Amino acid sequence: MVSEDVNRVESEMQLIVDGKRLDGRAFDELRPIKIKVGVLKRADGSCYLEMGRNKVVAAVYGPREVHPRHLQDPVQAVVRYRYNMAPFSVEERKRPGPDRRSVEISKVSREAIEAVVMKELFPRSGIDVFVEVLQADAGSRTACLNAASVALVDAGVPMRGMISSVAVAKVDDVLVLDPMKEEDNYGQADIPFAFFIRNDKIESIALLQMDGRVSTDEFKQALEMAKKGAMEIYKMQKEAIKAKYVVEQEEEVDESG
Ligand code: UDP
């Protein structure tokens, strides 16, 4: 049967060699992260983010009037989130346009974002979050959420906190943080998390999905590993936002001087 063949191929791919991951990372180590704020002129807020080989851009528009008007909510803002993969972002050309996967990712990501946006301040308005995956290497939904959260801050949207997101995978019977493509494809489980962080503390889980199987003990360990990783990402998000304002202030001083 095909599924048995697939399982056999999966188990043949050794992902931990001499106690190390294929890219040399420790089990609880994130991939390198790069964050740049305010990269798009026309958007109200934007962010370019790299998480390993993932490269994503987030653009935020709003709060602004919602069209068509029947979509307006008289008591709060409507948040829309579109996750989209560029056709050239993956090995085999991705057919352009939404598919089941991107619709699902957009929905769960929107729900995570809605946990932090103060929607009640903007009745009848819309806040649109667009995330474009330029290059994907597993964890693209987590990279997109991290970028979206920063872009929302850049847009000046009032928020209760930040969203920081990372996955944990089980590969060769061990848990690893922030899996790359090989670990995602050939591992035993993949668990993307997103956390709602307020006042520098994790307050709640805003997104949790899982493929595969782990024991309840492993799940608890995965949660702790993800929390630690998310806090590291959160610090980088904050630094990137601060860096933008330092640069802007320096530019203002230059112009006035
Ligand atoms: N992927 C792909 N083609 C697709 C969808 C996904 O090649 O149509 C790859 C891509 O590298 C992606 C990875 O598979 O990052 C894992 O996809 P998954 O659905 O687990 O989402 P992600 O981990 O990116 O959030």
Side-chain angles (χ1 to χ4, degrees), residues 36-39 41 154 242-257:
K36 197 159 183 334
V37 187
V39 290
K41 202 166 160 228
D154 185 41
K242 277 191 205 153
K244 183 192 167 188
Y245 290 102
V246 170
V247 170
E248 276 183 0
Q249 274 173 4
E250 281 169 0
E251 281 170 1
E252 274 169 29
V253 171
D254 279 355
E255 277 164 22
S256 61

Side-chain angles (χ1 to χ4, degrees), residues 83-84 94-103:
Y83 165 100
N84 185 54
K94 153 88 177 62
R95 195 162 170 255
D99 52 22
R100 276 181 61 171
R101 175 180 171 276
S102 66
V103 169

Side-chain angles (χ1 to χ4, degrees), residues 65-73 124:
E65 207 175 339
V66 176
H67 291 289
R69 288 178 79 172
H70 69 86
L71 293 178
Q72 291 181 355
D73 184 333
R124 296 184 202 288

